[in-house]
Amino acid sequence: MQPTDLADPATPDEPETPGTPSDTTPPEAPAEEKAAEATSEEPADEAPSEEPAGETLPGQPFTATPAAGEATPEEPGRVRRFLRSTGLSHTLNVLACGMVFVALLYPNVLRRLTLGNFARIPVEAAVGILLLIVLPRRPRIALAGVSGAILGWLIIQKSLDMGWFQILARPFDVVLDWELLDDTYGFIREAYGQAGAYAAAGGGLLLAVAVPALMIWAVLRVAAMLNRNRRASALAASGIAATWMLTFTLGVQLLPDIPVAARSSATYAWDRALQARTGIANEAAFAGEVTVDAFRDTPPDRLLTALKGKDVIFTFVESYGRNAVEDPSLAAGTAAVLSDGDAQLKAAGFAARSGWLTSPTFGGNSWLAHSTLLSGLWINNQSRYRNLTASDRLTLTSAFRKASWDTVSVMPGATRAWPEGDFYGYNRVWDSRNLDYQGPKFSWAPMPDQYTLKKFNDLEYAKPGRAPLMVEMPLVSSHTPWAPIPAFIDWDQVGDGSAYHTLPTDGGQKADIWTTPERVRREYGRSIRYTLTTLISWIEKYGDDNLVLVFLGDHQPSSVVTGDNASRDVPITIVAKDPAVLDRIADWQWTEGLKPATDAPVWPMNAFRDRFLTAYGPAGDTR
């Protein structure tokens, strides 16, 4: 890019008036000075050549001969001529303008990334043009560079939003969500291999550098072009502003819900700034919330008195959301499993009650739901989770341990140390490193849920002479990407998991199903049915008179399954053989059986801890 001056390019000099000396012509020296110069010249040392340079023979064309010591000028090469060509300059100008235009209208939701979204007028274009043609050179260049960097960042932020909306049904939080990129990398590595994780990380870093750099170049080039054509640029800005105001006033839309008068970039940047400020304020407010606890000072002999002698297991079913129970394309299969399960459990002497909880997360970040249920606080971002686990908040786990239960965590999805286990109050943690699974991976899950339940039974539940157990156990076979899915087998076949090497899987492979939303939904439904079938079968086969099992979803699946605007509700069910256990929650008005009714009560997930501690403490005695 060539530097430009503030003023318009100079116009050609006007013809001189006859008789008027040119301003650039030096004045002629007086005759006396000429004579003095002539007489002071010394004769040349060298003899004149026979053929003076530049002399032309009669009938031959004149050829300039370089003076002694001068280099012969070279003809510019092909590449240099191309780089200096007017055609290339115009092409780059069009490219730069197109990049700026696209950046101003770039959406943050994947479904809006259509040609129709770009058939609009960005009001920021008019404002930007006016600023770039009225500012002096240095401020203009500075503004162009900063604007390009901001546009580049907005593209990155909006691209992150697209991914977050697809999975978590919310935008990327510029203050709180950076820590989740590490978990995203881990998920990609576990689901698609180390090569896929490296490729994703490398591509992300490349785009993080390249996008702002390209946008800075584009805006600087556009600024230089506008400055060379100020009058035309001013007219263009006026036309854009007038057209935008007219279409905004009339509400013109070429496509449904897409106004021609766009103001997306300015509004979006303002919203992200407010989001950042709110995130910082929420982080400060949480420090006060964590200290407010009605059960903090409850004596051990006043905690969970109605569950003395019971084994209480909290089981999270990955991605088991309301859509799995009520969506027409999924409900039939899930309802059949739950209906058959009701009959099986009743025959075995068990009963169940079911309701709904609203999860703090959607599509992922399961640990936020786990911590919300166990702590009684709304943990909807990583900052709150980090601050919670650094506190001394009473959790359901620590309440059970305080009341003399043996507390155990079974975490089949954990592949590394989990220091948060100390905060929750677990005496032991079983994870993928010490559960001794010898079979293949299925989807994201390091081991099938049936193996997890069987191994828990062998290691803890069936151990003779043990103390009453309180267990938290996430089941992860229904974790995205939902392929391949293990087959349910006879419990005696499970062994160390080696049998799965030779057993067929249920459904297809990731590359096969992630081609259409319909296939993804089908395989998601298969995975939920597999986990529910496995869990119900385990209760029927191994559950005894003292079992109290609470199973619930952690969150809804991603929007590729649920579609847009799905609720955050998840089913929750309590199963027990002792009728007194369910009598304690009669006033909850939950639905009888494993499937909650559509109109069953809906509570925020953080309300469960206090309701549970109240129902099964001395205050919950209804006799």
Side-chain angles (χ1 to χ4, degrees):
M1 185 184 71
Q2 297 180 352
T4 58
D5 295 325
L6 175 62
D8 287 336
T11 55
D13 293 335
E14 296 181 359
E16 297 181 9
T17 306
T20 303
S22 169
D23 292 337
T24 59
T25 304
E28 190 173 2
E32 292 84 0
E33 293 180 15
K34 288 183 177 182
E37 291 174 3
T39 55
S40 65
E41 290 179 359
E42 294 182 3
D45 293 335
E46 298 180 2
S49 62
E50 295 181 0
E51 295 182 11
E55 183 174 325
T56 307
L57 297 178
Q60 292 183 343
F62 172 78
T63 303
T65 303
E70 289 186 5
T72 304
E74 296 182 2
E75 183 72 16
R78 235 178 240 183
V79 174
R80 187 175 297 177
R81 289 200 306 271
F82 172 73
L83 293 177
R84 294 177 179 177
S85 66
T86 303
L88 177 62
S89 179
H90 290 336
T91 300
L92 292 177
N93 287 342
V94 171
L95 176 62
C97 290
M99 289 172 61
V100 173
F101 178 79
V102 168
L104 290 173
L105 294 175
Y106 190 72
N108 70 329
V109 179
L110 187 60
R111 60 184 171 81
R112 296 177 187 166
L113 194 60
T114 62
L115 290 177
N117 181 74
F118 296 98
R120 300 190 294 156
I121 303 169
V123 68
E124 298 90 352
V127 176
I129 291 172
L130 289 174
L131 287 174
L132 291 173
I133 64 177
V134 300
L135 288 175
R137 182 175 182 273
R138 287 186 178 179
R140 181 176 68 247
I141 292 175
L143 175 65
V146 171
S147 299
I150 291 174
L151 284 177
W153 164 246
L154 289 179
I155 289 176
I156 294 173
Q157 167 84 51
K158 290 177 179 180
S159 298
L160 289 170
D161 281 357
M162 288 183 187
W164 255 240
F165 272 122
Q166 283 294 105
I167 303 300
L168 304 179
R170 64 174 178 84
F172 179 83
D173 192 312
V174 71
V175 175
L176 304 174
D177 281 348
W178 293 108
E179 295 180 52
L180 297 183
L181 294 180
D182 178 58
D183 295 291
T184 302
Y185 176 84
F187 165 70
I188 295 173
R189 183 188 62 229
E190 295 297 329
Y192 300 99
Q194 189 64 65
Y198 283 150
L205 290 173
L206 179 63
L207 288 175
V209 173
V211 170
L214 288 171
M215 289 311 307
I216 291 171
W217 168 83
V219 179
L220 286 171
R221 188 169 188 94
V222 170
M225 180 189 69
L226 295 173
N227 190 64
R228 289 194 298 270
N229 304 276
R230 291 191 175 190
R231 293 183 180 86
S233 300
L235 290 173
S238 301
I240 292 172
T243 307
W244 185 90
M245 292 181 66
L246 180 63
T247 54
F248 176 76
T249 303
L250 298 177
V252 177
Q253 295 181 1
L254 297 180
L255 295 174
D257 301 323
I258 302 180
V260 171
R263 46 180 177 171
S264 53
S265 291
T267 304
Y268 178 83
W270 177 255
D271 288 344
R272 294 290 80 78
L274 290 179
Q275 180 194 53
R277 187 179 69 177
T278 301
I280 295 171
N282 283 341
E283 185 170 6
F286 184 75
E289 293 179 32
V290 77
T291 63
V292 179
D293 187 353
F295 291 91
R296 173 194 289 274
D297 300 320
T298 303
D301 61 355
R302 304 285 291 173
L303 282 171
L304 301 160
T305 53
L307 293 174
K308 292 296 182 181
K310 304 295 185 186
D311 296 308
V312 184
I313 302 174
F314 291 88
T315 302
F316 289 90
V317 177
E318 174 66 38
S319 301
Y320 178 40
R322 187 163 194 144
N323 277 57
V325 178
E326 295 186 346
D327 185 286
S329 63
L330 302 168
T334 307
V337 171
L338 296 177
S339 177
D340 292 345
D342 272 329
Q344 292 173 240
L345 294 182
K346 284 180 181 178
F350 289 92
R353 298 289 185 276
S354 300
W356 303 104
L357 299 179
T358 301
S359 175
T361 186
F362 187 103
N365 298 350
S366 304
W367 60 93
L368 301 182
H370 303 174
S371 58
T372 295
L373 184 95
L374 296 176
S375 72
L377 294 171
W378 190 251
I379 310 298
N380 62 339
N381 59 57
Q382 191 66 13
S383 175
R384 283 181 163 245
Y385 178 78
R386 184 179 61 247
N387 291 334
L388 170 68
T389 55
S391 73
D392 60 353
R393 175 79 174 185
L394 181 76
T395 65
L396 281 175
T397 311
S398 54
F400 273 97
R401 186 166 74 169
K402 188 176 178 180
S404 300
W405 266 264
D406 185 12
T407 55
V408 177
S409 174
V410 182
M411 305 281 288
T415 58
R416 54 189 176 184
W418 187 50
E420 293 93 330
D422 292 335
F423 158 74
Y424 285 112
Y426 295 114
N427 293 329
R428 291 179 303 287
V429 175
W430 298 98
D431 60 27
S432 63
R433 300 171 302 165
N434 57 14
L435 285 171
D436 299 326
Y437 177 65
Q438 302 300 315
K441 281 186 63 175
F442 290 88
S443 186
W444 175 85
M447 61 193 70
D449 289 340
Q450 190 173 8
Y451 177 87
T452 301
L453 286 163
K454 182 64 166 63
K455 194 69 176 180
F456 160 70
N457 193 77
D458 296 342
L459 292 171
E460 296 284 356
Y461 190 71
K463 187 186 299 183
R466 58 171 175 79
L469 292 171
M470 182 274 173
V471 182
E472 186 213 356
M473 179 166 37
L475 297 176
V476 294
S477 288
S478 51
H479 194 291
T480 182
W482 307 306
I485 302 166
F488 179 77
I489 60 178
D490 188 273
W491 289 99
D492 294 333
Q493 288 183 268
V494 174
D496 65 358
S498 300
Y500 288 102
H501 283 293
T502 58
L503 293 172
T505 59
D506 188 9
Q509 301 296 315
K510 290 188 288 289
D512 299 325
I513 73 163
W514 281 84
T515 54
T516 65
E518 290 74 18
R519 291 181 179 177
V520 175
R521 280 194 289 272
R522 182 190 66 204
E523 298 307 308
Y524 162 75
R526 285 176 183 266
S527 72
I528 292 294
R529 294 196 294 274
Y530 165 77
T531 296
L532 292 177
T533 297
T534 301
L535 184 59
I536 293 167
S537 176
W538 182 88
I539 298 170
E540 179 189 24
K541 183 174 180 64
Y542 297 107
D544 61 20
D545 293 349
N546 290 321
L547 177 65
V548 177
L549 189 141
V550 183
F551 74 91
L552 68 153
D554 47 12
H555 53 72
Q556 287 262 53
S558 62
S559 58
V560 69
V561 173
T562 65
D564 298 328
N565 304 316
S567 78
R568 292 177 176 240
D569 296 346
V570 298
I572 180 168
T573 299
I574 298 180
V575 180
K577 184 170 282 190
D578 184 353
V581 172
L582 298 182
D583 289 344
R584 284 274 180 152
I585 63 171
D587 62 340
W588 289 7
Q589 299 179 354
W590 282 13
T591 307
E592 183 178 348
L594 300 177
K595 179 185 175 183
T598 300
D599 60 351
V602 181
W603 306 338
M605 191 174 283
N606 60 310
F608 181 82
R609 189 206 71 155
D610 287 9
R611 286 179 177 265
F612 188 87
L613 291 176
T614 300
Y616 293 106
D621 192 348
T622 57
R623 291 172 294 178

